Amino acid sequence: MRRVSVITGGAGGMGLATARIIGRDHTLVLCDVRRDRLEAADAALKDLGLTATAVHCDVTDRQSVAALFETAAGLGPIASVIHTAGVSPSMGDAEYVMRTNALGTLNVNEVFYGLAGEGAAIVNVASMASHMLPEEIIPTTQFPLALTDVTAFMEGMTASCGIAPDEARPGLAYAVSKSFVRWYSSSQAERFNVRRLRIVSVSPGSVDTEMGKLEEQAGAGAMVADFAVPRWGTAEEMAELFAFCASDRAGYLTGTDILNDGGVIASMKERTRIAAEIS
């Protein structure tokens, strides 16, 4: 029996690209909140000779996520989860962005933790944006509430974005929510390891996908041409990294974030240092 890999946001650019790689030697379970895109992704994989079980799932709903994993477990032992489901600042208000990215990550990971067997791994997609926030505005005191009081966690996380003007709050919510993804993927590594599970996050830079292009004229997307690698990353480049992190070849990798941003953050830090020296 082949092992199973679950890909959330499996109809999106990075999710589908990852499915093309992992589907070569795993049973695939794709989930997405949009049925039309999910059907199209399933058809695209079939054209490549890959078979996937498509599951409509809303990651912000814990019961929906539990049903997803029950389906996956019924197909075989769960080897990995690639959690790409998420939304960008242009796709909704601050509460929607926070709920999808932060609460969605919590739900997927906690259900995975309770169900997956020894040796399984989960890869969470964070973002370069989380590396840009000044530490003093990251609501780190709210993060642990995710494990004890979800309502208070969400209220505190959303309220933390109130420091920004209305038009900037979705962007701040995005960066804060992805900061939580990084924190969770690091802080829970020891707990996961007790069950012999691995947990990793990857922070992509600006990626040439439908969602990524929504930010082309704003935020991180506007920086692409001005930094170390003056181009967008590709979904395939991200997928190769996700697949490696989830594989047995990365068996020593856990509790960390991998920044895959074409050198944007490195360039920003070095330019800031040089500017400070000049001034």
Side-chain angles (χ1 to χ4, degrees):
M1 180 180 291
R2 293 209 308 179
R3 297 189 298 169
V4 177
S5 182
V6 178
I7 303 179
T8 71
M14 291 191 294
L16 185 55
T18 306
R20 294 190 188 104
I21 298 170
I22 291 183
R24 298 167 189 164
D25 54 9
H26 287 75
T27 296
L28 288 174
V29 176
L30 298 188
C31 92
D32 206 278
V33 72
R34 289 178 55 180
R35 295 182 188 273
D36 56 337
R37 286 166 54 91
L38 192 58
E39 292 173 358
D42 186 28
L45 290 173
K46 286 180 180 176
D47 288 343
L48 297 174
L50 301 174
T51 300
T53 297
V55 179
H56 178 256
C57 177
D58 177 358
V59 296
T60 69
D61 182 339
R62 182 71 67 94
Q63 290 185 335
S64 182
V65 174
L68 165 69
F69 276 88
E70 287 174 8
T71 297
L75 298 172
I78 295 174
S80 60
V81 176
I82 315 296
H83 178 47
T84 75
V87 295
S88 72
S90 298
M91 297 172 71
D93 61 18
E95 195 278 336
Y96 173 70
V97 171
M98 190 70 73
R99 179 169 295 278
T100 303
N101 294 347
L103 182 60
T105 294
L106 178 69
N107 287 340
V108 170
N109 280 260
E110 289 298 312
V111 175
F112 166 81
Y113 173 81
L115 191 63
E118 182 175 327
I122 186 165
V123 179
N124 295 307
V125 177
S127 172
M128 171 179 72
S130 68
H131 291 260
M132 296 178 177
L133 279 182
E135 289 189 8
E136 58 269 21
I137 68 171
I138 303 174
T140 52
T141 58
Q142 300 296 322
F143 292 173
L145 287 174
L147 298 167
T148 59
D149 188 337
V150 172
T151 299
F153 166 68
M154 285 303 302
E155 289 176 351
M157 291 283 280
T158 303
S160 72
C161 300
I163 62 173
D166 289 348
E167 65 276 11
R169 287 180 188 175
L172 180 56
Y174 180 79
V176 168
S177 66
K178 293 301 188 177
S179 295
F180 169 76
V181 174
R182 287 177 55 209
W183 173 86
Y184 181 95
S185 301
S186 173
S187 68
Q188 301 309 300
E190 187 172 356
R191 177 167 73 103
F192 275 48
N193 189 60
V194 170
R195 299 198 61 240
R196 299 296 186 265
L197 304 173
R198 292 191 301 109
I199 179 171
V200 177
S201 64
V202 173
S203 289
S206 297
V207 184
D208 189 5
T209 62
E210 180 181 344
M211 190 174 85
K213 286 295 189 177
L214 290 174
E215 311 304 319
E216 186 169 7
Q217 302 303 321
M223 299 178 179
V224 172
D226 195 37
F227 285 97
V229 179
R231 67 169 176 84
W232 291 70
T234 68
E236 291 73 22
E237 287 171 322
M238 300 303 156
E240 290 285 359
L241 179 56
F242 299 160
F244 170 75
C245 291
S247 74
D248 294 338
R249 292 173 296 163
Y252 198 55
L253 184 67
T254 194
T256 193
D257 179 75
I258 299 175
L259 178 61
N260 191 14
D261 69 337
V264 169
I265 298 300
S267 292
M268 289 179 64
K269 289 182 177 179
E270 180 63 7
R271 292 181 187 191
T272 298
R273 183 191 67 80
I274 293 171
E277 287 183 352
I278 293 174
S279 63

